[in-house]
């Protein structure tokens, strides 16, 4: 197989019996074997079990037809997501030897839909500290240029999907850890509404802002993966007991009649993004207008006002998760995460309460603006991926994050690649919708991709 198909393309070909799940899996494993020494996307490759599952899927599909669009599709999971029988180490010396005894909810649901796990993927340590070079495994590299960063913390997922090792994978997003790798690796990635996808079996970072969602090559593929993952799970107290929306059938509905607000001050005043990123946002706004959407500028609170309570809560909640290990095994952490967690020890109850109050005011402010618009458009990242050896260890602390506002509000937010910058690396836009209107976000992202045109995959 020469070209890597999207999930939707592979599903159609498998249903038409013009593509074998065994052939598809063999092709993905071949890419892993060829590219892994450079990209470091995997921490555990489960190739033998994946090939057996592909053979079983092929026999079943030939007999009964596919279960759905994920049947026979190779995926993999971030190394904070439990896969029964495989280690869940969060890429930390703390959890070396920890083997999952059951699947996380998202893993189980994708498997029930027929997706086949190829293994576990690199993450920043405990989904926060990185890129680090003092962990059990090296950090993932960007397939567009392996000397460059993937963003994090779903770093291995970004690298594996962009390079065609897998067709889709899990990510988690506490302050941008799905949308960041999607932006820097040229992918689509959605942080769903808080509570839509359960986090059962996923190592926590900051419980009140943690989300689980997919990364894939296209928005359509993200919709297919999210559809299979969504739904209530009583084992996750943050999981919402409400009907799962149809995220797929309306993808082709276009944006005519939608009202889109461009949060221009986020990326022009509050922080300064690259010229290519800014051009991509302006072009997206123009295209949405040509497709029949009403596009206008809107004003939210300054980005720094989201960043301050977001970082306060992240620090405080992360320290609460790690307090025992920090006190008893501090030397086992990588240097970057250890220093961040020790900062969290300085967060008091007073700080947390103040941050929660500010969080509520910010959510109300965004909600007021979104009475008059259906979607918000802004940047997903500052620009192209920096060199991996030049990433500041305090990245995320010195400049307000473009993604953390929607972790605070719990709204769905999607990254879509808008093209390549001056250095030949991807840049991206970000679309956010009202809570529980993930369908609208995906529909708009898909419409944008259709007029943006197809992108060639990187060739590392």
């Amino acid at each position: 197989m020469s070209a890597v198909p999207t999930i939707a393309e592979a599903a159609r070909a498998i249903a038409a019996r013009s593509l074998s799940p065994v052939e598809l899996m063999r092709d993905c494993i071949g890419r892993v074997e060829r590219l892994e020494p450079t990209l470091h996307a995997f921490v555990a490759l489960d190739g033998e079990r994946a090939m057996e599952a592909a053979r079983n899927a092929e026999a079943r599909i030939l007999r009964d037809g596919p279960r759905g669009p994920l049947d026979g599709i190779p995926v993999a999971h971030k190394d904070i997501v439990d896969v029964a029988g495989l280690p869940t180490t969060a890429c930390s010396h703390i959890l070396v030897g920890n083997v999952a005894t059951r699947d996380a909810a998202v893993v189980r649901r994708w498997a029930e839909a027929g997706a086949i796990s190829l293994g576990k993927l690199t993450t920043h340590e405990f989904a926060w500290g990185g890129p680090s070079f003092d962990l059990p495994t090296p950090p993932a590299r960007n397939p567009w240029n392996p000397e460059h960063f993937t963003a994090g913390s779903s770093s291995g997922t970004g690298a594996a999907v962009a390079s065609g090792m897998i067709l889709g994978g899990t990510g988690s997003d506490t302050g941008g850890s799905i949308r960041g790798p999607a932006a820097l690796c040229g992918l689509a990635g959605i942080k769903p509404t808080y509570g839509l996808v359960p986090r059962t079996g996923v190592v926590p970072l900051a419980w009140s802002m943690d989300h689980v969602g997919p990364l894939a090559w296209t928005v359509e593929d993200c919709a297919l993966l999210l559809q299979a993952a969504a739904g209530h799970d009583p084992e996750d107290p943050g999981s919402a007991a409400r009907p799962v929306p149809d995220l797929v059938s309306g993808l082709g509905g276009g944006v005519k009649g939608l009202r889109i607000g461009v949060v221009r001050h986020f990326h022009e005043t509050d922080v300064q993004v690259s010229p290519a990123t800014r051009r991509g946002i302006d072009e997206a706004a123009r295209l949405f207008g040509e497709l029949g959407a009403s596009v206008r500028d809107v004003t939210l609170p300054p980005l720094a006002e989201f960043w301050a309570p977001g970082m306060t809560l992240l620090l405080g909640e992360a320290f609460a998760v790690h307090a025992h290990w920090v006190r008893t095994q501090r030397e086992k952490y990588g240097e970057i995460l250890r220093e961040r967690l020790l900062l969290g020890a300085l967060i008091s109850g007073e700080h947390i309460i103040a941050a929660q109050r500010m969080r509520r005011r910010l959510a109300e402010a965004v909600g007021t603006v979104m009475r008059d618009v259906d979607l918000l458009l802004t940047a997903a990242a500052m620009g192209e991926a920096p060199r991996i050896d030049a990433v500041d260890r305090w990245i995320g602390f010195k400049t307000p994050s473009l993604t953390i506002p929607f972790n605070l509000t719990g709204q769905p937010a999607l990254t879509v690649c808008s093209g390549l910058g001056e250095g030949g690396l991807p840049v991206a836009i970000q679309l956010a919708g009202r809570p529980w209107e993930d369908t609208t976000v995906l529909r708009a992202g898909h419409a944008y991709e259709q007029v943006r045109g197809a992108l060639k995959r990187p060739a590392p």
Side-chain angles (χ1 to χ4, degrees):
M1 186 184 303
S2 55
V4 182
T6 67
I7 292 174
E9 290 168 346
R12 289 190 290 268
I14 288 171
R17 300 187 179 182
S18 60
L19 175 63
S20 153
V22 172
E23 175 189 357
L24 179 60
M25 183 61 71
R26 187 178 293 119
D27 189 63
C28 287
I29 292 174
R31 282 194 179 82
V32 175
E33 292 173 343
R34 186 173 75 255
L35 300 176
E36 179 59 20
T38 300
L39 298 182
H40 307 302
F42 276 81
V43 296
L45 178 64
D46 198 16
E48 185 174 331
R49 188 162 60 162
M51 281 303 303
E52 180 182 2
R55 287 188 287 268
N56 292 339
E58 181 168 301
R60 174 174 44 74
I61 291 168
L62 288 173
R63 183 181 67 247
D64 303 323
R67 295 174 182 172
L70 298 187
D71 207 353
I73 300 297
V75 298
H77 301 284
K78 184 176 181 176
D79 190 30
I80 61 168
V81 179
D82 283 345
V83 176
L86 292 181
T88 298
T89 71
C91 287
S92 176
H93 291 288
I94 295 280
L95 291 182
V96 168
N98 176 55
V99 177
T101 57
R102 64 172 186 159
D103 289 337
V106 63
V107 174
R108 183 184 71 251
R109 290 176 179 182
W110 281 8
E112 289 170 350
I116 301 172
S117 172
L118 195 46
K120 301 296 290 293
L121 298 165
T122 305
T123 176
H124 290 351
E125 186 176 20
F126 282 105
W128 196 19
S132 299
F133 296 86
D134 55 356
L135 304 181
T137 53
R141 303 275 181 152
N142 196 315
W144 293 87
N145 184 333
E147 297 302 314
H148 287 248
F149 190 35
T150 56
S153 62
S154 306
S155 51
T157 311
V161 174
S163 63
M165 295 181 186
I166 52 175
L167 274 59
T170 49
S172 67
D173 193 312
T174 307
S177 291
I178 289 171
R179 290 161 290 158
L184 297 197
C185 295
L187 307 174
I190 184 167
K191 179 198 76 63
T193 298
Y194 186 87
L196 180 62
V197 177
R199 301 159 303 177
T200 311
V202 179
V203 178
L205 175 57
W207 180 84
S208 76
M209 297 195 295
D210 288 344
H211 300 66
V212 171
L215 292 93
W217 187 247
T218 67
V219 174
E220 181 181 19
D221 287 358
C222 282
L224 294 171
L225 291 165
L226 186 58
Q227 187 74 67
H232 179 56
D233 184 343
E235 292 191 56
D236 176 5
S239 176
R242 56 186 294 155
V244 176
D246 183 346
L247 300 165
V248 177
S249 65
L251 278 180
V255 297
K256 187 175 182 179
L258 289 181
R259 301 164 300 170
I260 298 176
V262 183
V263 194
R264 197 169 297 280
H265 64 90
F266 269 15
H267 58 270
E268 292 186 358
T269 305
D270 300 351
V271 298
Q272 294 293 320
V273 301
S274 72
T277 299
R278 186 167 172 174
R279 285 196 301 273
I281 296 165
D282 292 342
E283 178 69 1
R286 183 186 68 79
L287 291 172
F288 282 131
E290 291 180 355
L291 292 172
S294 171
V295 182
R296 64 183 180 86
D297 290 356
V298 297
T299 301
L300 298 181
L303 200 55
E305 291 189 15
F306 291 92
W307 174 78
M311 289 305 297
T312 299
L313 292 169
L314 201 166
L315 282 164
E317 293 183 29
F319 181 77
V321 170
H322 289 266
H324 174 72
W325 289 329
V326 170
R327 294 185 181 111
T328 61
Q329 303 181 62
R330 185 165 64 247
E331 72 285 351
K332 289 188 177 181
Y333 285 103
E335 184 178 356
I336 290 177
L337 183 59
R338 181 169 62 246
E339 292 182 357
R340 293 181 181 181
L341 291 172
L342 289 173
L343 275 182
L346 304 176
I347 302 297
S348 68
E350 181 181 2
H351 295 138
I352 295 293
I353 295 300
Q356 290 287 22
R357 287 175 174 168
M358 191 169 183
R359 179 184 198 172
R360 181 170 181 173
R361 291 197 299 271
L362 291 166
E364 289 172 349
V366 176
T368 297
V369 170
M370 296 205 73
R371 292 173 189 164
D372 298 320
V373 295
D374 303 298
L375 294 166
L376 301 172
L377 168 64
T378 188
M382 302 287 288
E384 297 174 63
R387 287 183 58 90
I388 196 168
D389 58 4
V391 177
D392 191 317
R393 67 168 51 213
W394 296 108
I395 188 172
F397 286 78
K398 294 181 176 180
T399 303
S401 163
L402 287 154
T403 49
I404 206 168
F406 307 117
N407 294 88
L408 281 176
T409 63
Q411 298 168 242
L414 171 74
T415 287
V416 187
C417 182
S418 57
L420 303 181
E422 289 79 358
L425 300 173
V427 293
I429 62 169
Q430 179 177 209
L431 292 167
R434 299 188 192 96
W436 306 109
E437 296 188 8
D438 304 66
T439 301
T440 303
V441 175
L442 291 163
R443 178 161 56 97
H446 179 67
Y448 168 73
E449 277 188 338
Q450 300 309 296
V451 294
R452 179 209 65 192
L455 294 175
K456 290 184 178 180
R457 288 186 187 261

